[in-house]
């Protein structure tokens, strides 16, 4: 669930969060789960050695790290197609493999822990219940902690790090016959730590990035023209509003129309309170007309509180 939700948010700056994106992300997740369940069951019938499963988890962790690095070029390449097809391709290229590998764990564990046919029903039911509760925990963790508090890249690195630690723990304490998987896990963990601590540098010809970060609203960014006379508020790479720091007002027509709409419902506006993303820009209209304004701006980089 963490990979599914994070995957949609990683793609949203390039293909937006239309119904195509969520449809393709859910569809690719379901197909990956089906393939993983099938392959995991076949492999479990051949051998019940958990070493192969933990090696697969290690490979999934490495692939998740790779998704962070290749997400942008893959997404831009997929934009050469129509949105429905491009979003499907991007989701499949980036997330099908790790999701399928993670799905292999369910049938494999059922086969390993089942001691007799008589108890297979309760064993499968218990493992499925635990997996479902884990999906619930992952959903809550990604939606309430990772997405609003951490960049998407860091969240994905942490997910890969968790898989790496699980795999490393198995090879360190339960299977010491081969040192190669443990060394691979250590190298991957070191690489994740280095990548997570280094923010990607972005350079623009005519603008300076004043702010960038995740929030409940998605990826927020404030760009300011190098001459200092224009700021852009972007949400998932879509410009939501503009602001002139010199005149202290928006230069977007729809902002002035919003202020006019408020006056259409209440002609005598004397006191104004507005809370939200970029609303300080809207309320400058009321300041110019003499109204008393109280502004609570979610992103003070746009308009200081």
């Amino acid at each position: 669930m963490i990979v599914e939700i994070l995957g949609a948010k990683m793609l949203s700056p390039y293909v937006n969060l239309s119904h195509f994106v969520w449809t393709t992300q859910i569809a690719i997740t379901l197909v990956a789960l089906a393939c993983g369940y099938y392959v995991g069951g076949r492999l479990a019938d051949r051998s019940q050695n958990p070493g192969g499963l933990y090696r697969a988890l290690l490979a999934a962790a490495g692939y998740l790290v790779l998704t962070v690095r290749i997400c942008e070029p893959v997404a831009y390449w997929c934009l050469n197609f129509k949105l429905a097809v491009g979003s499907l391709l991007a989701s499949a290229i980036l997330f099908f493999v790790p999701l399928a590998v993670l799905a292999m764990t369910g049938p494999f564990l059922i086969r390993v822990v089942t001691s007799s046919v008589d108890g297979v029903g309760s064993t499968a039911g218990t493992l499925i219940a635990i997996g479902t509760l884990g999906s619930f925990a992952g959903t809550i963790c990604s939606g309430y902690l990772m997405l609003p508090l951490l960049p998407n890249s860091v969240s994905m690195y942490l997910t890969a790090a968790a898989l790496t630690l699980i795999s490393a723990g198995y090879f360190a304490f339960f299977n010491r016959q081969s040192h190669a998987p443990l060394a691979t896990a250590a190298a991957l963990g070191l690489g994740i730590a280095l990548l997570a601590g280094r923010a990607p540098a972005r350079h623009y010809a005519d603008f300076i990035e004043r702010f960038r970060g995740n929030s409940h609203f998605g990826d927020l960014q404030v760009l300011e023209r190098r001459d200092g006379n224009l700021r852009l508020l972007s949400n998932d790479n879509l410009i939501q509003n503009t602001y002139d720091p010199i005149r202290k007002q928006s230069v977007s027509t729809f902002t002035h129309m919003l202020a006019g709409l408020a006056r259409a419902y209440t002609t005598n506006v004397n006191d104004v309170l507005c809370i939200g993303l970029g609303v300080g820009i809207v309320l400058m209209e009321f300041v110019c007309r003499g109204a008393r304004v109280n502004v609570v701006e979610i992103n003070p980089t746009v308009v200081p509180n």
Side-chain angles (χ1 to χ4, degrees), residues 145-159:
L145 295 176
M146 288 182 168
L147 291 179
L149 299 179
L150 297 172
N152 294 329
S153 59
V154 174
S155 297
M156 191 61 82
Y157 286 143
L158 290 177
T159 304

Side-chain angles (χ1 to χ4, degrees), residues 1 19 69 94 102 133 154 170 173 181 183 194 207 289 305:
M1 291 305 299
H19 68 282
R69 311 304 298 177
L94 292 172
L102 293 176
L133 291 176
V154 174
Y170 171 78
F173 299 104
L194 293 175
F207 289 87
R289 297 173 181 266
N305 290 332

Side-chain angles (χ1 to χ4, degrees), residues 219-294:
D219 184 26
L220 296 182
Q221 186 182 28
V222 176
L223 297 174
E224 182 173 312
R225 188 177 289 171
R226 294 187 182 275
D227 57 15
N229 62 6
L230 178 66
R231 289 180 188 171
L232 305 178
L233 172 62
S234 170
N235 184 192
D236 287 335
N237 279 7
L238 297 176
I239 297 177
Q240 302 294 314
N241 217 322
T242 57
Y243 180 69
D244 186 340
I246 299 175
R247 294 188 296 165
K248 296 186 177 181
Q249 66 179 24
S250 173
V251 295
S252 297
T253 303
F254 83 93
T255 303
H256 302 273
M257 295 175 65
L258 286 177
L261 182 63
R263 288 190 172 275
Y265 286 98
T266 306
T267 56
N268 187 20
V269 179
N270 296 318
D271 295 286
V272 179
L273 171 63
C274 193
I275 305 174
L277 178 64
V279 297
I281 302 173
V282 179
L283 294 183
M284 290 300 172
E285 293 292 305
F286 295 105
V287 173
C288 296
R289 297 173 181 266
R292 187 173 61 183
V293 176
N294 295 298

Side-chain angles (χ1 to χ4, degrees), residues 7-303:
K9 295 301 293 182
M10 287 172 61
L11 288 174
S12 63
Y14 311 101
V15 294
N16 202 5
L17 280 178
S18 68
H19 68 282
F20 286 123
V21 176
W22 282 110
T23 299
T24 56
Q25 189 69 3
I26 294 172
I28 291 300
T29 299
L30 292 175
V31 173
L33 292 179
C35 294
Y37 294 151
Y38 177 79
V39 174
R42 295 295 295 269
L43 293 178
D45 286 338
R46 293 182 180 180
S47 173
Q48 287 79 55
N49 182 8
L53 178 64
Y54 286 96
R55 287 185 177 90
L57 292 180
L58 195 60
Y63 200 103
L64 290 179
V65 173
L66 182 64
T67 62
V68 179
R69 311 304 298 177
I70 68 173
C71 181
E72 183 172 341
V74 167
Y76 278 128
W77 177 78
C78 291
L79 288 177
N80 293 318
F81 304 90
K82 292 183 178 180
L83 181 60
V85 177
S87 57
L88 182 65
L89 284 174
S91 181
I93 294 171
L94 292 172
F95 306 112
F96 176 84
V97 172
L99 286 170
V101 172
L102 293 176
M104 292 167 53
T105 59
F108 189 91
L109 290 177
I110 291 176
R111 180 65 179 86
V112 169
V113 301
T114 299
S115 57
S116 66
V117 178
D118 294 336
V120 67
S122 60
T123 299
T126 301
L127 289 176
I128 292 173
I130 294 174
T132 303
L133 291 176
S135 297
F136 167 78
T139 302
I140 296 299
C141 179
S142 59
Y144 287 85
L145 295 176
M146 288 182 168
L147 291 179
L149 299 179
L150 297 172
N152 294 329
S153 59
V154 174
S155 297
M156 191 61 82
Y157 286 143
L158 290 177
T159 304
L163 294 176
T164 303
L165 286 176
I166 293 173
S167 180
Y170 171 78
F171 288 108
F173 299 104
F174 300 101
N175 187 348
R176 301 181 180 179
Q177 297 178 357
S178 176
H179 298 290
L182 190 59
T184 303
L188 182 59
L190 179 60
I192 292 173
L194 293 175
L195 291 172
R198 185 176 62 182
R202 292 181 176 269
H203 303 283
Y204 303 92
D206 301 319
F207 289 87
I208 301 173
E209 187 176 77
R210 294 298 186 188
F211 172 85
R212 187 184 186 96
N214 261 42
S215 72
H216 298 286
F217 305 95
D219 184 26
L220 296 182
Q221 186 182 28
V222 176
L223 297 174
E224 182 173 312
R225 188 177 289 171
R226 294 187 182 275
D227 57 15
N229 62 6
L230 178 66
R231 289 180 188 171
L232 305 178
L233 172 62
S234 170
N235 184 192
D236 287 335
N237 279 7
L238 297 176
I239 297 177
Q240 302 294 314
N241 217 322
T242 57
Y243 180 69
D244 186 340
I246 299 175
R247 294 188 296 165
K248 296 186 177 181
Q249 66 179 24
S250 173
V251 295
S252 297
T253 303
F254 83 93
T255 303
H256 302 273
M257 295 175 65
L258 286 177
L261 182 63
R263 288 190 172 275
Y265 286 98
T266 306
T267 56
N268 187 20
V269 179
N270 296 318
D271 295 286
V272 179
L273 171 63
C274 193
I275 305 174
L277 178 64
V279 297
I281 302 173
V282 179
L283 294 183
M284 290 300 172
E285 293 292 305
F286 295 105
V287 173
C288 296
R289 297 173 181 266
R292 187 173 61 183
V293 176
N294 295 298
V295 181
V296 179
E297 175 61 62
I298 290 177
N299 189 341
T301 313
V302 184
V303 181

